[in-house]
Amino acid sequence: MRFTIERIRTLVLVAAVLLLAALVMFLAHAKWKNRFHRSDVPARLPLNITEESNGYSYSHNLGAHSKFKIHASRAVQLKNDRVELHDVEIEIYGAEGTEADKIAGNKFEYDEKSGIASAQGAVEMLLTRPAESGSQGKNVAHPRTAAGKAAEASQIDVKTSGVKFDRNTGVVTTAQAVNFSMTQGSGSAVGATYDSQRGNLTLAQSVELTTRRGKDEVRIRAQHAEFDRDEQLSVLRAATLQFRDGEANAGQASIQFRDDGSTEHMAATGGFTLATADGGRLAAPTATMDFDEQNQPRHAHLEGGVKMDSAQAGRTVQGASPTADLDFNAQGQLRHAHLERGVTFESQETRRQTTGPSIKVKRSWRSPVADVNFRSVEVAGKTEIEPETIRGSGGVTLASESRQGNAAPAPAKMSADLVTGTFGASSALHRLVGTGHAKMEQTTTTGARQTASGDRLIVEFVADRGKEDREQTTGNSQPEGRGGTQTGGAPDVQSAEIEGHVVIVEQQAPKPGAEPQPPLRATAGKAAYEGAGEWLHLTIEPRIVDGGLDLAAEKLDVSRRSGDAFAHGDVKATWIGGTETNGAPNGSETQHGTALGGNGPAHAVADEAQLNESTGEATFRGHARLWQQANSIDAPEIVLNQHIETITARTTDARNPVRAVLQNASAQRTGSGTAGRHRQAAAGATRPAASSVIRIRGGDLWYSDPEHRAIMHGGVAGEVVAETANAASRSDTVELQMIPAGSPDNGTGQAQVDRMIAAGHVVLTFGERRGTGARLVYSGVTGDYVLTGTDTAPPRLTDPDRGSVTGKTLIFHSRDDSVSIEGGSGETRTGTIAPKAHGK
């Protein structure tokens, strides 16, 4: 609802004019105090009348000046102590003997016994407002002069009938219609009483005044009006003010005047309402207003339950506050409103779309206290008042709910200890700042619940929704991300920032028959929403915990539409695996990993990372390293796919190859192969191999946790190098077969290499021995290296002491440093040679 200068000035002007007209009409000003005291009227009129050539006259003097004069063309003494006067004219003067008012009638009858003078027929009065103190004693200006015209403008012409004056009480009454006119307008009433002794004036009923403010007509009506001359107080009952832009009503209005006739104070009780033509309405049980010397409002106070309503262009607003205080500037324009003791605003709006169903939006404001500042704007050649800022304190809550067509509603809420809002053009909300326990909550159309809290919240709203609304209803909807935020589901928010101890929690709606997903939780020093909330930027030690993922970096960017996350600078991530029931008889649960097949958390570090919600891929780039207990992978880029539980590592620079360090299977386990049984039988008690790891490097690595298998290719590195505690190999590819943690063959908490298979241009270095072939199989359980070749290129062993030897299969035994050569019809075993060095 807008309050224009015209509306407020009109209220003041009309109230002042009405009271002025009534006051002067019935001789209510203090200059007539005790003017008709009964001692002023002679006991027997004929004794004081002197006959003149042009009639009869009676004069009552006060000092050197006449107080009033009565002229009549003829006086007739009647029976029963009555005197009849014809063509009567009464002139009333001020204390200085100037500025005469006139009362004229064709016939008056005076009852000497009762002291009552009655007018027979119509009475006309020409009343003039008292002059300023500085002008008293001056001659009356000629009507044609400027001063004379000003005097005419202050005169009131009154017409009535049935006037009676009681000499004993000093009371003047009439039960007839009273009509008056002036330069500012005209009015009427039915019945009037004036007590000259007490200075009280009463207009009995049907009080009306029509005036103009500029080109606009203003009407005021009252059921009853009273004026106290000595107190300069006027009281109107059931008053209604009608103007071009609306209407104001008061059960009872009391107006206090200054001595110069200007309004000083107004109080309305019994209900006060102000309704505007554009659908605005303000109501309160009681209202008071103070005015300056120019009749401009300075301050207003409304109490008892203030109601504010408006309806414009598809939008309705209802507001309520137990009290409201209004302040105005020197021009009478509304400058500030203070609401307290529980302030509420409710609004509903329907947005018509170019295509598709309309969007219905509901909003509410709750705060113990609210302060609104206003500004003046020019609209269609008129000065109007619109809100500039709003400030709520003591705990503010803003709630909204939007629904497009028959879709499910999407509620949202913002709260803070202190909220300050700024308005743009056409009273559109532009910015909100919440300070202290700031919080945002939203529920998407899919049922996902999102909350964000911090010390300070800043929200920017879209100024022009036309383009966005058209795009929202083109039918080109995008798939929803984790939060379920649709392309067309964004509200009026253009961007939002949360600062200080930021905590963001997002809980997905449970799917039918499925266990609830763990909530996503993010913390940071600052969070920023951009692009109608589609992007979330986290800075100042940001961290995201999403189920089993814990991600931290210098900066985190999250797409709320797709659910993708981008981490920049000093990226650190941790995955925590779940549990599953193993095959043990007691049905105990075993923790399984999500990275390299081990129990416990897996970790990753990198310069930057990207998490793809739809594919389940986490990509780490720049000095990336992924590890789980003793198993690790280092590479320029590592991709972990949580959906299919795979890891891919790759490089584009041969100088910076992919590296992996994997735990070797326990050498204390008894091998099940033929060679293992032969070694046990031949050697009896053999020394166990030391616990070791396998180190491999190459161009790219692929690992599958469900298959417990890893494959590395030479790629840009040219070859794959694999190293154990006893030997090193070079080949085109290497395949690793893993024993998962917690399996019957692996009692440790981490995955171990059960078998390594190298293929293509294999070169094995075992101490000072060197073997070549097409394929190498290493068993982590037995510690044996089995080297084979092809029919045309069998494996070859070179020993610096014994020369070269070949066979169908060459077996290097790491336990006793011996080599077995298997041919087509038998086996040969070489002596033990202690290794001196291992090649790289």
Side-chain angles (χ1 to χ4, degrees):
M1 177 173 65
R2 293 179 173 173
F3 298 90
T4 66
I5 298 174
E6 298 298 324
R7 296 173 189 170
I8 293 181
R9 287 182 174 172
T10 299
L11 283 169
V12 176
L13 174 63
V14 173
V17 172
L18 173 64
L19 268 298
L20 175 63
L23 172 63
V24 181
M25 182 194 320
F26 295 101
L27 313 181
H29 195 273
K31 74 173 186 175
W32 295 306
K33 183 175 182 181
N34 294 329
R35 188 158 291 166
F36 289 104
H37 192 273
R38 57 178 175 265
S39 63
D40 297 331
V41 181
R44 294 183 61 82
L45 184 62
L47 297 179
N48 294 321
I49 293 180
T50 60
E51 186 172 353
E52 298 178 356
S53 60
N54 60 347
Y56 298 91
S57 66
Y58 168 81
S59 176
H60 175 78
N61 296 327
L62 179 63
H65 303 285
S66 297
K67 189 171 184 180
F68 64 85
K69 293 181 180 180
I70 301 177
H71 300 276
S73 63
R74 187 164 59 95
V76 178
Q77 180 69 52
L78 304 177
K79 295 180 179 181
N80 300 326
D81 297 326
R82 294 177 180 270
V83 178
E84 183 180 87
L85 300 176
H86 294 266
D87 299 327
V88 178
E89 184 177 276
I90 303 175
E91 296 178 352
I92 305 173
Y93 297 87
E96 301 296 329
T98 60
E99 301 184 11
D101 295 331
K102 296 181 179 180
I103 304 175
N106 292 330
K107 183 190 296 185
F108 277 81
E109 183 179 292
Y110 175 60
D111 187 335
E112 295 177 293
K113 189 174 183 179
S114 64
I116 296 177
S118 303
Q120 306 296 317
V123 175
E124 184 172 355
M125 294 178 282
L126 183 62
L127 309 178
T128 303
R129 290 183 59 187
E132 300 290 339
S133 59
S135 64
Q136 290 181 0
K138 297 181 180 180
N139 295 329
V140 177
H142 192 278
R144 294 183 180 179
T145 65
K149 293 180 180 179
E152 288 181 356
S154 63
Q155 292 179 339
I156 303 175
D157 186 10
V158 180
K159 295 179 180 180
T160 184
S161 62
V163 174
K164 292 184 178 182
F165 171 69
D166 189 332
R167 179 195 63 186
N168 300 310
T169 63
V171 175
V172 180
T173 61
T174 179
Q176 304 303 312
V178 179
N179 296 287
F180 53 89
S181 62
M182 66 202 87
T183 302
Q184 294 87 349
S186 60
S188 64
V190 176
T193 301
Y194 172 65
D195 189 335
S196 61
Q197 296 292 311
R198 299 180 180 178
N200 294 334
L201 169 67
T202 301
L203 301 180
Q205 59 185 340
S206 302
V207 181
E208 294 188 8
L209 174 66
T210 301
T211 185
R212 304 190 71 83
R213 178 59 180 169
K215 297 181 180 180
D216 299 328
E217 185 177 82
V218 179
R219 293 185 178 183
I220 185 167
R221 293 184 174 88
Q223 219 175 59
H224 185 81
E226 297 179 3
F227 179 77
D228 187 322
R229 179 196 60 202
D230 295 334
E231 298 296 331
Q232 296 292 324
L233 179 67
S234 175
V235 178
L236 305 177
R237 297 177 186 171
T240 299
L241 174 69
Q242 293 178 331
F243 49 95
R244 186 187 67 173
D245 296 327
E247 180 178 288
N249 295 274
Q252 178 170 300
S254 300
I255 303 176
Q256 183 72 53
F257 293 93
R258 297 183 180 88
D259 291 339
D260 62 2
S262 63
T263 303
E264 182 177 15
H265 180 78
M266 182 190 74
T269 58
F272 169 79
T273 62
L274 174 63
T276 61
D278 57 6
R281 185 176 181 271
L282 175 68
T286 62
T288 61
M289 183 174 289
D290 297 323
F291 299 85
D292 62 16
E293 290 75 6
Q294 285 72 42
N295 288 326
Q296 298 286 11
R298 294 185 303 181
H299 178 79
H301 177 76
L302 290 80
E303 193 166 342
V306 183
K307 303 292 183 182
M308 297 155 281
D309 305 301
S310 68
Q312 290 180 320
R315 176 192 300 169
T316 61
V317 179
Q318 296 87 37
S321 174
T323 64
D325 287 277
L326 311 178
D327 293 315
F328 303 84
N329 61 17
Q331 291 73 40
Q333 300 167 351
L334 183 61
R335 178 181 60 85
H336 177 78
H338 177 77
L339 313 173
E340 62 178 29
R341 303 182 194 174
V343 183
T344 64
F345 287 100
E346 305 283 346
S347 69
Q348 296 187 33
E349 180 179 358
T350 300
R351 300 177 188 164
R352 303 297 178 185
Q353 307 298 300
T354 306
T355 60
S358 59
I359 299 176
K360 295 182 179 179
V361 180
K362 296 180 181 179
R363 295 189 179 93
S364 66
W365 166 292
R366 299 282 188 278
S367 67
V369 179
D371 289 272
V372 184
N373 291 321
F374 296 86
R375 60 171 173 251
S376 302
V377 295
E378 293 294 328
V379 179
K382 293 177 57 179
T383 300
E384 294 189 354
I385 305 300
E386 65 180 20
E388 183 176 27
T389 64
I390 183 171
R391 184 178 186 270
S393 58
V396 183
T397 300
L398 292 90
S400 67
E401 180 183 280
S402 60
R403 173 182 291 184
Q404 185 169 13
N406 296 324
K413 184 168 68 173
M414 168 187 168
S415 60
D417 295 340
L418 176 67
V419 174
T420 302
T422 58
F423 296 87
S426 301
S427 303
L429 188 59
H430 171 64
R431 191 171 190 257
L432 282 177
V433 178
T435 305
H437 302 93
K439 187 176 183 180
M440 286 197 310
E441 301 178 30
Q442 180 182 6
T443 301
T444 67
T445 55
T446 60
R449 180 179 174 83
Q450 304 164 347
T451 63
S453 61
D455 298 335
R456 188 168 184 259
L457 171 64
I458 304 173
V459 180
E460 300 279 350
F461 294 89
V462 177
D464 182 7
R465 292 288 299 178
K467 181 178 179 181
E468 287 81 356
D469 289 342
R470 288 190 293 272
E471 292 176 349
Q472 289 173 9
T473 56
T474 57
N476 297 323
S477 59
Q478 299 294 327
E480 295 185 358
R482 173 184 173 90
T485 303
Q486 299 177 351
T487 306
D492 287 344
V493 175
Q494 178 176 340
S495 64
E497 289 186 1
I498 307 176
E499 300 174 348
H501 306 91
V502 178
V503 177
I504 299 174
V505 179
E506 186 175 296
Q507 178 65 64
Q508 291 296 295
K511 297 180 180 180
E515 292 292 330
Q517 298 183 37
L520 179 148
R521 189 176 190 271
T523 58
K526 181 179 180 180
Y529 294 88
E530 293 182 357
E534 289 190 5
W535 282 99
L536 170 62
H537 306 289
L538 301 175
T539 55
I540 309 177
E541 300 181 358
R543 180 183 178 188
I544 292 179
V545 178
D546 186 3
L549 171 64
D550 190 333
L551 177 65
E554 294 178 357
K555 181 182 179 182
L556 294 174
D557 299 326
V558 181
S559 172
R560 300 179 71 231
R561 189 204 315 188
S562 65
D564 296 349
F566 299 84
H568 310 275
D570 194 19
V571 179
K572 300 175 183 178
T574 297
W575 286 269
I576 300 176
T579 58
E580 64 181 7
T581 303
N582 59 25
N586 60 1
S588 62
E589 291 184 337
T590 300
Q591 190 175 29
H592 63 83
T594 58
L596 294 172
N599 294 337
H603 310 277
V605 295
D607 294 338
E608 62 180 28
Q610 176 181 352
L611 279 65
N612 190 301
E613 179 76 13
S614 60
T615 64
E617 289 185 344
T619 302
F620 299 88
R621 297 185 180 93
H623 306 92
R625 183 169 187 263
L626 174 68
W627 75 95
Q628 187 177 36
Q629 294 179 334
N631 298 328
S632 65
I633 300 173
D634 293 79
E637 180 178 287
I638 299 176
V639 180
L640 185 150
N641 192 311
Q642 297 182 81
H643 290 178
I644 60 177
E645 299 182 68
T646 63
I647 297 175
T648 302
R650 47 182 169 258
T651 183
T652 57
D653 186 358
R655 296 170 298 178
N656 188 16
V658 177
R659 301 174 185 270
V661 178
L662 303 173
Q663 184 69 35
N664 202 350
S666 174
Q668 295 182 355
R669 289 181 54 210
T670 302
S672 58
T674 303
R677 289 194 299 270
H678 289 173
R679 288 197 306 276
Q680 290 179 11
T686 59
R687 60 181 175 84
S691 177
S692 62
V693 296
I694 297 179
R695 304 175 187 273
I696 60 175
R697 63 179 183 269
D700 61 74
L701 172 68
W702 174 85
Y703 168 78
S704 172
D705 197 59
E707 298 181 22
H708 311 301
R709 187 165 64 101
I711 298 176
M712 178 175 282
H713 298 90
V716 297
E719 62 181 2
V720 179
V721 178
E723 299 175 347
T724 66
N726 308 105
S729 67
R730 299 174 184 272
S731 60
D732 295 340
T733 64
V734 166
E735 178 180 338
L736 303 173
Q737 297 177 357
M738 310 292 292
I739 304 175
S743 66
D745 293 332
N746 183 1
T748 67
Q750 58 188 340
Q752 295 180 335
V753 176
D754 179 43
R755 185 181 296 269
M756 180 183 73
I757 303 172
H761 305 93
V762 177
V763 177
L764 175 65
T765 303
F766 191 83
E768 295 183 348
R769 300 168 182 167
R770 184 174 185 272
T772 60
R775 188 170 186 267
L776 174 67
V777 177
Y778 166 75
S779 173
V781 176
T782 64
D784 291 345
Y785 299 82
V786 179
L787 180 63
T788 59
T790 65
D791 294 338
T792 58
R796 179 178 295 275
L797 171 64
T798 301
D799 188 301
D801 296 329
R802 300 188 180 184
S804 299
V805 64
T806 185
K808 184 176 182 180
T809 302
L810 301 180
I811 303 174
F812 296 79
H813 305 289
S814 62
R815 289 188 175 184
D816 56 9
D817 299 324
S818 64
V819 178
S820 298
I821 304 171
E822 296 182 353
S825 59
E827 296 183 0
T828 301
R829 187 181 181 90
T830 66
T832 301
I833 301 176
K836 294 181 180 180
H838 297 292
K840 297 293 184 181

